Structure formats: C-alpha cells, structure tokens
Amino acid sequence: MAKQKGLISGWGLKMFALFCMVIDHIGAFIPGMPFWMRYIGRLSAPVFFFLMVEAFFHSRNVGKYFLRLFGCGVLMQLGNEGMKYLFHNGPEITNNIFLGLDGCLLVIIFVDSFIKGKHRFISFLCVVASMLFTLLTEAGLIGIACSLAFYCFHGHRGRLVLGYLIACLASSAILPLMPAEYYWQVNPQWMMMFAIIPILFYNGKRGKDSTVTRWFFYFFYPLHIWLLYAIGQFIR
C-alpha cells in the first residue's frame, strides 16, 4: 500500500497483531480459558500476511527475507518436536507461522513472476507447488487467499477491502452456512474480517527500525509458544 496519512506504522501493526496473537495462544494452550480469546486471535494472522506482502514490495532483498523465514521455520519445527519429546510425547504443536508466511511469500513471488511473463510455464508450476506446500502449513487456504488479496489490490484501498473480505468469506468456511453456534463456538475464523480495520490505518511507514526490532518477533514468537505449551502441560 502506498505511503499515506494514517495512524499506525508497520511496527505498530506488528505489535497489535502480536498482542492479539498472545491472547489467542493463551486461550489455546492454557486449560479452562474462555473461548472468546480465540476470537481476538483471529485478528492477528491477516496482519502478518499483510506485512509480509508489504515486505515483498519494499524489501531490498526478497530472497534474503525468504531464507530468514525459512530458517526460522525449520528451527521452530525442530523446537516443537523437542517440546513434544520433553513432555513425553505430549500433543503436537501445530503453530509455525514462519513456514506459513514463507509458503505464502513463495506463492506471491511466483504469481508475480507469472504476471510479468517470466518463464510462465515454470512460474505456473511453481505457483501450484508453493500452494500445495502452503496448504500443509499453519497458513493453509486462508493464508493463501489473504496474501493474494493483499498482493492483487496493493495500493488500492477500496478494492483491497472488497477483495480481502471476499477472500475471508471464501476461505474460512462461512459460505456453507452452518448453524450460528458453529461460528461462535467452533469456527470463529469469520472474525478475521475485522483485521482490515487496523490495516486501513496503516500509514505506509516501517516505524521503529533497528536490529532489535527487526529480530524481536523471530525470537518472541517461538519462545512464547513453547512457554505457554509448557505451562499448559504442567497444569494438565
């Protein structure tokens, strides 16, 4: 999205998403937590997908960004397996947003290559392969749909809102029309539609930028997952 008047920088958006994410994971890992905490968590992932697409458009080295996400994703996956082993084959930790973001980034890279006419047949095959990979990650179909909406309508606020809302509805099982209880007590993914509100306040600026701020999320994300997982296992 082009630079514009707004209240929230990229750093501010990331902190908002991180706050919602922590609430969601407390609700997910700690027994007895109220289900409404999962509603708040639905505002988190779309913001991270949005910032990933922004990084694609503005990063000086997209390849380096991809490798950083991939490396962190592999290390987190190893850590997830280690936590499971530590708690004597406890429940799986399915959280690994790094691999999900990396898969969606690959989809965007190859879609962009296809649109620009660069080796279109190979680009098309790579789009399909990267989508199949992403479907195996935490991002899934929702991550692909949101990322494509942010990519296709980048810089066009009105179209972005409409495209994003359609992507949410089409990918979060809202359209089949289940009983109301299903959307409140089982699948609150429809709440992710409201993530467009903070995104619309984005001012197109990175905000705080230092080595600490650039690496903060890469360390905080896995550490808070593993800590909450451990607390949840001790409580059980």
Side-chain angles (χ1 to χ4, degrees):
M1 193 177 290
K3 288 187 177 182
Q4 56 197 291
K5 293 181 180 180
L7 300 175
I8 309 177
S9 67
W11 171 254
L13 272 181
K14 186 176 290 186
M15 289 301 99
F16 168 81
L18 187 145
F19 173 77
C20 294
M21 176 188 72
V22 171
I23 291 177
D24 179 43
H25 291 157
I26 291 173
F29 287 107
I30 307 301
M33 293 294 103
F35 193 68
W36 60 259
M37 299 179 80
R38 310 307 308 278
Y39 303 160
I40 295 175
R42 305 285 71 77
L43 304 179
S44 178
V47 174
F48 287 123
F49 292 124
F50 172 78
L51 293 173
M52 178 274 294
V53 174
E54 283 293 299
F56 168 78
F57 280 107
H58 300 295
S59 176
R60 290 191 293 267
N61 192 329
V62 175
K64 187 175 180 181
Y65 178 49
F66 165 80
L67 290 175
R68 183 163 64 246
L69 284 173
F70 182 75
C72 290
V74 171
L75 290 174
M76 181 162 187
Q77 200 62 39
L78 292 173
N80 287 351
E81 293 301 318
M83 291 297 294
K84 178 184 174 183
Y85 175 79
L86 182 64
F87 286 92
H88 308 291
N89 291 320
E92 293 282 348
I93 301 177
T94 59
N95 305 77
N96 192 334
I97 195 63
F98 297 131
L99 291 182
L101 287 169
D102 217 30
C104 291
L105 177 60
L106 269 183
V107 173
I108 297 303
I109 289 172
F110 292 123
V111 166
D112 186 72
S113 177
F114 179 84
I115 290 174
K116 292 177 178 177
K118 298 178 180 178
H119 309 290
R120 279 195 162 172
F121 180 69
I122 296 176
S123 295
F124 174 76
L125 293 179
C126 290
V127 168
V128 174
S130 57
M131 283 185 172
L132 291 175
F133 167 76
T134 307
L135 289 174
L136 299 176
T137 70
E138 184 183 4
L141 180 61
I142 290 176
I144 295 172
C146 291
S147 298
L148 285 175
F150 293 138
Y151 166 78
C152 292
F153 304 111
H154 184 262
H156 303 278
R157 291 169 66 86
R159 296 178 197 174
L160 186 144
V161 172
L162 181 60
Y164 173 73
L165 293 179
I166 292 174
C168 289
L169 290 172
S171 62
S172 60
I174 302 300
L175 295 181
L177 295 180
M178 301 289 285
E181 292 80 6
Y182 173 79
Y183 301 113
W184 288 104
Q185 301 174 12
V186 179
N187 180 15
Q189 291 290 62
W190 58 273
M191 281 289 296
M192 63 191 287
M193 293 189 295
F194 295 102
I196 195 63
I197 296 174
I199 288 173
L200 288 176
F201 283 97
Y202 176 55
N203 61 16
K205 299 177 181 179
R206 177 178 289 182
K208 291 184 179 180
D209 183 31
S210 67
T211 301
V212 173
T213 58
R214 282 196 296 269
W215 283 96
F216 173 73
F217 178 73
Y218 293 100
F219 285 98
F220 179 85
Y221 178 77
L223 291 177
H224 96 281
I225 290 285
W226 297 333
L227 175 62
L228 291 174
Y229 178 86
I231 292 173
Q233 293 307 299
F234 280 123
I235 292 176
R236 286 186 176 92

